[in-house]
């Protein structure tokens, strides 16, 4: 994600973590095909199984959802007549759990992003066809019409609005990871970091934020020590040994790590979140379609239906992402500004 450091560090951090969790087989690319597709018939069954073959990244949850004709009627005629919603995921080559990766059957694309796409397709009464590609080819697919909509951790930015339209569905958050036994919590203010030693990945959005906080604290005569490690396993080792107080990085990756180490001596927890867009704006992840495609409104209406009827909360809970819930899906909400996108 060249225009947003958070996703890049998410992929880097989680990929390293998967080595610790021994998920190599579950992260194989879909046959190496840059446009591999998985078709899931959800429209007729009225049920979507969240976290299926997730290899421990989610709590498998069966969610009832059927077509809402007042919403499906809003779809462009070509999409409605096709009988399917083609969902783009940019998870090749390695995937990035818990958001999108190949499941433990080594063929099904699973994760929170494709699962939400399947729920939305069910609201439309359409068959979900999930296509996996590289990040770059994800947008090529949207531009060419091969993909109807991307559910792939795409951040809403003002730059992207020049070519795409959005329906928001999840907060774009950074988080602080601490040992489960730690009593410290981030209260949303940089002052709470005074005297702490925090790890962060170099060259990321979160590093930029942390360095700004360090400078502010220094002006107040207070200290924030920032540490850098080669990879996520090294960071987790430092956290477990007490060399650092916390690690600052993408919230989904930490949610995944918390689940992987739960019940072990190295159990961790999330000690607070912060908008990936900084203090001025809550960053948002959004379903992404070609500009003027006519898809943004029905997509937002479908997500809002899922919010209002409880399926949305069950989806987030299954992946331990409830702290990224939005109250409402919006069409083209304010995005990351041009000077920071």
């Amino acid at each position: 994600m060249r225009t947003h450091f958070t996703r890049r560090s998410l992929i880097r951090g989680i990929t390293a973590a998967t080595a610790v969790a021994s998920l190599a087989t579950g992260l194989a690319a879909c046959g190496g095909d840059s446009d591999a597709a998985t078709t899931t018939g959800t429209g007729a069954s009225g049920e979507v199984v969240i976290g299926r073959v997730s290899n421990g990244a989610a709590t498998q949850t069966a969610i009832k959802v059927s077509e809402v004709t007042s919403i499906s009627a809003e779809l462009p005629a070509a999409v409605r007549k096709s009988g399917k919603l083609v969902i783009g995921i940019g998870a090749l080559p390695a995937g990035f759990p818990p958001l999108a990766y190949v499941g433990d059957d080594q063929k099904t694309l699973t994760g929170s992003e494709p699962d939400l796409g399947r729920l939305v397709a069910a609201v439309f009464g359409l068959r979900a066809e999930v296509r996996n590609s590289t990040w770059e080819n994800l947008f090529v697919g949207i531009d060419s019409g091969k993909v109807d909509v991307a559910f792939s951790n795409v951040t809403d930015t003002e730059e992207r609005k020049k070519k795409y339209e959005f329906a928001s569905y999840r907060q774009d958050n950074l988080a602080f990871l601490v040992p489960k036994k730690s009593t410290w919590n981030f209260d949303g203010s940089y002052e709470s970091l005074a005297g702490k030693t925090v790890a962060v990945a170099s060259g990321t959005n979160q590093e930029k934020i942390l360095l700004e906080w360090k400078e502010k604290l220094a002006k107040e005569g207070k200290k924030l020590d920032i540490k850098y490690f080669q990879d996520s396993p090294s960071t987790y080792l430092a956290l477990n040994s007490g060399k650092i107080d916390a690690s600052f990085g993408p919230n989904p990756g930490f949610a995944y790590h918390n689940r992987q180490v739960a019940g072990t001596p190295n159990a961790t927890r999330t000690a607070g979140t912060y908008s990936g867009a900084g203090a001025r704006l809550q960053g948002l992840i959004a379903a992404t379609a070609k500009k003027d495609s006519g898809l943004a409104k029905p997509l937002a209406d479908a997500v809002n239906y899922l919010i209002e009827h409880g399926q949305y909360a069950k989806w987030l809970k299954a992946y331990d992402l409830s702290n990224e819930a939005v109250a409402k899906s919006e069409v083209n909400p304010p995005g990351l500004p041009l000077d920071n996108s």
Side-chain angles (χ1 to χ4, degrees):
M1 188 173 186
R2 296 178 180 174
T3 59
H4 190 54
F5 288 129
T6 299
R7 183 184 182 277
R8 182 181 69 189
S9 58
L10 170 67
I11 296 173
R12 179 171 63 188
I14 297 177
T15 300
T18 55
V20 178
S22 300
L23 286 177
T25 57
L27 298 180
C30 290
D33 190 343
S34 64
D35 218 11
T38 302
T39 301
T40 307
T42 56
S45 68
E47 180 178 273
V48 176
V49 180
I50 300 301
R52 189 168 67 87
V53 298
S54 70
N55 212 347
T59 301
Q60 184 167 308
T61 307
I63 298 180
K64 297 290 185 181
V65 56
S66 299
E67 179 181 4
V68 180
T69 55
S70 60
I71 298 176
S72 60
E74 300 174 3
L75 288 167
V79 175
R80 192 168 62 249
K81 291 178 181 178
S82 73
K84 63 184 179 181
L85 184 69
V86 183
I87 299 164
I89 304 289
L92 288 178
F96 41 102
L99 301 182
Y101 60 103
V102 175
D104 53 27
D105 64 353
Q106 300 188 42
K107 63 180 182 180
T108 302
L109 192 64
T110 189
S112 63
E113 304 294 82
D115 276 352
L116 180 60
R118 292 173 179 123
L119 286 169
V120 167
V123 173
F124 292 154
L126 298 176
R127 186 176 75 255
E129 181 174 300
V130 183
R131 292 185 173 271
N132 197 12
S133 69
T134 62
W135 178 251
E136 292 78 10
N137 283 337
L138 171 67
F139 293 94
V140 172
I142 299 172
D143 295 343
S144 67
K146 291 176 67 176
V147 167
D148 295 319
V149 57
F151 282 90
S152 194
N153 200 44
V154 180
T155 301
D156 169 24
T157 75
E158 294 305 311
E159 177 66 29
R160 288 187 175 134
K161 283 179 184 171
K162 295 176 181 178
K163 293 183 65 177
Y164 307 102
E165 58 187 36
F166 297 103
S168 57
Y169 61 83
R170 187 165 54 79
Q171 292 183 12
D172 181 8
N173 284 338
L174 300 170
F176 287 93
L177 185 77
V178 299
K180 189 175 182 179
K181 63 185 178 181
S182 171
T183 59
W184 178 80
N185 289 293
F186 177 67
D187 63 5
S189 170
Y190 70 89
E191 285 95 342
S192 66
L193 291 165
K196 300 298 181 185
T197 300
V198 181
V200 73
S202 177
T204 60
N205 188 44
Q206 54 265 30
E207 181 197 28
K208 176 185 174 184
I209 292 171
L210 206 58
L211 288 172
E212 289 174 353
W213 287 341
K214 179 177 181 177
E215 184 178 350
K216 287 182 178 180
L217 286 169
K219 290 179 180 178
E220 298 173 9
K222 301 172 184 177
K223 185 178 180 181
L224 168 60
D225 193 10
I226 299 176
K227 297 291 186 182
Y228 299 92
F229 296 91
Q230 184 175 0
D231 51 32
S232 291
S234 298
T235 303
Y236 297 143
L237 182 62
L239 190 68
N240 297 334
S241 65
K243 292 182 178 179
I244 58 174
D245 297 303
S247 181
F248 188 40
N251 179 67
F254 287 161
Y256 174 71
H257 180 74
N258 290 339
R259 179 181 285 272
Q260 296 301 308
V261 298
T264 74
N266 296 325
T268 56
R269 66 178 179 85
T270 298
T273 61
Y274 189 77
S275 171
R280 293 182 298 166
L281 181 72
Q282 173 58 60
L284 293 170
I285 302 299
T288 307
K290 192 173 184 179
K291 189 173 183 178
D292 299 324
S293 66
L295 280 168
K297 185 179 185 302
L299 286 165
D301 287 346
V303 173
N304 283 327
Y305 176 87
L306 295 170
I307 291 173
E308 293 163 10
H309 292 82
Q311 297 99 329
Y312 173 83
K314 291 179 180 179
W315 162 70
L316 286 174
K317 184 178 180 181
Y319 284 97
D320 294 332
L321 294 175
S322 298
N323 60 0
E324 293 197 338
V326 295
K328 180 182 179 181
S329 176
E330 300 177 84
V331 174
N332 294 324
L336 205 62
L338 290 172
D339 62 359
N340 190 29
S341 60

